[in-house]
Amino acid sequence: MAIPNDFLNVLINKLGEEHVSVDPLEKLVYAHDLAALPKSVKLLFDTTPDAIVRPESAEHVAEVIRLANEYKIPVIPRGGATWGFGGTVPVRGGVVLDLTGLNRIVHLDEEHGLLTVECGIVWEDIMRFLQKTCWELPVYPSSALSSTVGGWAATGGIGYGSLKHGPFIKNVVKATAVLPDGRAVMLDDNSDPSLSQLFGSEGILCVFTDLTLKLVPKSEAERPFMASFSSLANALMAAQEVLRLTSPHSLVLRTFGFTRTKDYVNPDAYFFGCFTGYKHAVDKYYLTLEEVVNRYRGYLAPEDEAGREWEERFYTLRVKKWGPSILGNEFIIPVPKILDMVGYCWQLGSLARLDVEVEVMFVSRDRALMFQLFLCDERKSIRYLTEAAITKKVLEAAIKAGGKPYGYGLWNFPFMEAAEPEKKRELESLKRALDPQGVLNPGKTIGAELALGLPLPGRLYGMLMDGVWFLRKVV
Ligand SMILES: Cc1cc2nc3c(=O)[nH]c(=O)nc-3n(C[C@H](O)[C@H](O)[C@H](O)COP(=O)(O)OP(=O)(O)OC[C@H]3O[C@@H](n4cnc5c(N)ncnc54)[C@H](O)[C@@H]3O)c2cc1C
């Protein structure tokens, strides 16, 4: 869509020229997120924004949204663009709101361990700031080096530390957000709408502008661990036993290609993680871990090696070098179903002749976040398009197994009806109430829209995916 010059002029007048860009090269960069888009997607969606706006304050955000409402222009919030589900990708042009300029630390309440930050701050900057204090973050995503706090509030909120401290939402006290009509509101458990109603709404219901995070006192001791196993089944049973008998800060299991990057003793599967807390408890847990690893005939890596793996926990995508591209998806899955799901991904991989990598981050004793990556090559565009349909097969199987997609955005929207029908109804009703003009991040999460503003029914999208999956046999 072409946005009216009038709109751009008013925007520039209000925010200043330095905050608005219509540079063609920049528009190309903002037309996608971390995931590589098959070229044919451009036939369905107008992914190129008409302008990029870089607000520096919550007032700027409110100003842009109020104006967009007046002119009915889509506004697409964007943090670090590390979420690969198309949440920051425009579907019919509009304005991409780059929030990374709202990156200040607002206030540290040293006494109560509360930290207020602006939404566009990157997690790593918070970690660096906290080094000088006696507090640390209870939870953070493994994309902490480049993703923003607001981006995590808008998406899943499960990451390192969630096993011990719960999901991100349990560690946020309050937030400030701009609603789709341009009103700035404070959100907590008692507000209307409440923080939990808007948390995880994938940028379709509000723009978070600042958040107050709970911190935890720095741990007295920290002991990373890593163990490799000659079979995935053994690694999985050992991991479950560790979860039953100890209380790790985090526990992540990886298979296949992840091990290709290193010279491990057992190449099939390994897990790593960290015990944190009081020294006596951490040491006791470590002894228990040793017993469990022995029982399942695993190999416990030396502690310096485990320490290195823990340090490198932010580099999940190093497997990309085997690709050169990846087709990934994430879902929450009951722990007893992990083995079947890995087997199924493997089967699909061999059908499509693609290598598969799997990472499982345990969220609790019963549930895990499973991240599967198919290694492929986006430069072979027709083949890549047909391979992209593999993620539909995986999600269908995950839902059947009692799981649910970890996010919806643009690519997973057809699955919400089957996986979380009640959540979908609630989001639809909030969307109608808060954003009747459909200005904020249209065509995502609860339904997609084509470039011309026409709705794309989930079933049609599903049929298209099935069609291209079938085509893979001939290309
Ligand atoms: C290597 C790697 C590791 C990852 N590990 C994890 C992990 O451990 N846990 C996890 O949950 N995810 C993980 N992710 C996915 C992603 O990094 C997270 O979801 C992250 O929190 C997204 O933040 P972002 O700033 O990049 O958001 P973006 O990708 O910019 O945006 C994501 C969505 O949120 C919306 N949005 C962004 N900012 C705001 C805001 N301020 N207000 C309202 N809506 C907003 C956007 O419109 C979009 O729909 C990982 C990704 C990678 C590449």
Side-chain angles (χ1 to χ4, degrees):
M1 91 185 272
I3 54 176
N5 276 339
D6 199 20
F7 168 78
L8 266 185
N9 292 337
V10 183
L11 200 60
I12 290 170
N13 270 341
K14 290 202 185 257
L15 267 65
E17 214 167 357
E18 67 280 19
H19 295 292
V20 183
S21 168
V22 288
D23 179 78
L25 195 61
E26 285 201 54
K27 287 196 212 173
L28 271 185
V29 173
Y30 283 80
H32 61 85
D33 56 17
L34 167 118
L37 296 184
K39 286 201 181 90
S40 43
V41 162
K42 295 264 178 197
L43 299 173
L44 297 177
F45 307 112
D46 179 5
T47 58
T48 309
D50 296 285
I52 298 124
V53 178
R54 298 192 176 89
E56 262 189 9
S57 64
E59 291 72 36
H60 275 179
V61 173
E63 199 70 79
V64 177
I65 294 183
R66 270 198 296 270
L67 206 58
N69 248 290
E70 211 176 292
Y71 287 82
K72 298 193 178 57
I73 306 287
V75 176
I76 302 101
R78 175 177 160 128
T82 63
W83 197 57
F85 300 136
T88 60
V89 178
V91 292
R92 51 180 167 96
V95 167
V96 168
L97 197 61
D98 178 345
L99 294 155
T100 51
L102 274 82
N103 58 3
R104 284 161 285 245
I105 293 197
V106 180
H107 177 65
L108 169 65
D109 177 345
E110 286 260 23
E111 194 186 345
H112 301 102
L114 297 174
L115 180 72
T116 304
V117 292
E118 288 185 332
C119 66
I121 192 166
V122 169
W123 289 98
E124 190 191 22
D125 291 339
I126 302 182
M127 290 168 173
R128 208 172 292 133
F129 169 80
L130 289 176
Q131 276 171 4
K132 297 169 276 174
T133 73
C134 56
W135 299 98
E136 63 188 9
L137 286 167
V139 289
Y140 49 84
S142 54
S143 53
L145 304 185
S146 45
S147 62
T148 66
V149 171
W152 213 30
T155 55
I158 289 172
Y160 283 104
S162 290
L163 192 53
K164 188 164 180 174
H165 300 288
F168 184 32
I169 188 164
K170 293 261 179 279
N171 295 284
V172 176
V173 181
K174 59 180 177 153
T176 311
V178 176
L179 297 179
D181 60 5
R183 261 182 310 142
V185 290
M186 203 277 284
L187 303 170
D188 63 14
D189 289 348
N190 303 315
S191 61
D192 181 19
S194 69
L195 179 61
S196 59
Q197 279 179 306
L198 300 193
F199 214 86
S201 58
E202 303 189 349
I204 68 165
L205 296 179
C206 73
V207 176
F208 293 105
T209 50
D210 67 54
L211 293 105
T212 299
L213 318 178
K214 281 186 203 166
L215 303 173
V216 288
K218 276 195 180 130
S219 304
E220 185 184 280
E222 189 180 284
R223 224 167 150 182
F225 57 83
M226 177 165 76
S228 58
F229 297 82
S230 57
S231 79
L232 172 62
N234 271 13
L236 198 53
M237 282 190 290
Q240 284 176 264
E241 195 69 349
V242 171
L243 289 178
R244 198 173 66 78
L245 299 173
T246 73
S247 173
H249 171 275
S250 302
L251 180 55
V252 173
L253 185 147
R254 289 175 175 167
T255 64
F256 319 123
F258 279 108
T259 57
R260 254 189 289 164
T261 58
K262 293 255 178 79
D263 189 16
Y264 288 120
V265 169
N266 288 314
D268 273 6
Y270 73 101
F271 63 61
F272 74 97
C274 193
F275 294 120
T276 58
Y278 291 111
K279 188 167 182 323
H280 69 272
V282 165
D283 290 345
K284 200 174 110 207
Y285 287 152
Y286 201 89
L287 278 179
T288 309
L289 172 92
E290 275 178 320
E291 283 165 25
V292 173
V293 172
N294 280 336
R295 205 177 321 142
Y296 288 92
R297 296 193 295 282
Y299 165 78
L300 188 64
E303 289 201 51
D304 58 336
E305 210 175 300
R308 273 198 300 279
E309 190 68 25
W310 181 244
E311 289 292 310
E312 288 183 16
R313 65 194 179 281
F314 301 116
Y315 302 101
T316 316
L317 289 191
R318 63 187 170 197
V319 289
K320 200 168 180 289
K321 66 179 157 199
W322 304 102
S325 316
I326 48 171
L327 273 168
N329 221 318
E330 282 177 284
F331 45 87
I332 304 278
I333 186 92
V335 167
K337 301 289 182 182
I338 292 173
L339 206 54
D340 287 350
M341 275 310 295
V342 176
Y344 184 62
C345 290
W346 219 0
Q347 204 182 322
L348 285 174
S350 83
L351 270 178
R353 286 170 279 135
L354 298 175
D355 277 351
V356 193
E357 324 286 349
V358 176
E359 177 179 286
V360 175
M361 178 181 268
F362 289 88
V363 180
S364 66
R365 285 181 191 152
D366 326 307
R367 296 181 85 69
L369 176 61
M370 189 165 147
F371 183 31
Q372 105 287 319
L373 302 160
F374 292 94
L375 300 181
C376 51
D377 188 347
E378 75 205 65
R379 293 167 304 182
K380 298 175 181 153
S381 50
I382 300 200
R383 223 192 127 172
Y384 180 61
L385 172 69
T386 65
E387 289 162 354
I390 207 166
T391 57
K392 173 174 185 277
K393 301 276 163 214
V394 175
L395 287 185
E396 281 170 347
I399 294 169
K400 224 166 154 187
K404 59 176 185 180
Y406 183 48
Y408 296 93
L410 178 54
W411 311 124
N412 289 346
F413 85 91
F415 300 99
M416 196 183 229
E417 184 63 46
E420 298 183 88
E422 278 165 29
K423 179 174 171 184
K424 186 171 184 221
R425 297 289 100 75
E426 192 192 352
L427 286 179
E428 282 169 343
S429 126
L430 281 166
K431 184 76 177 168
R432 274 194 301 273
L434 297 175
D435 190 11
Q437 305 222 72
V439 163
L440 201 57
N441 216 354
K444 309 279 171 64
T445 312
I446 49 176
E449 258 176 41
L450 297 167
L452 301 171
L454 296 170
L456 171 62
R459 283 184 65 172
L460 177 62
Y461 183 81
M463 280 158 63
L464 284 173
M465 296 284 263
D466 285 339
V468 292
W469 175 245
F470 180 74
L471 266 183
R472 85 181 192 287
K473 292 182 183 166
V474 285
V475 293

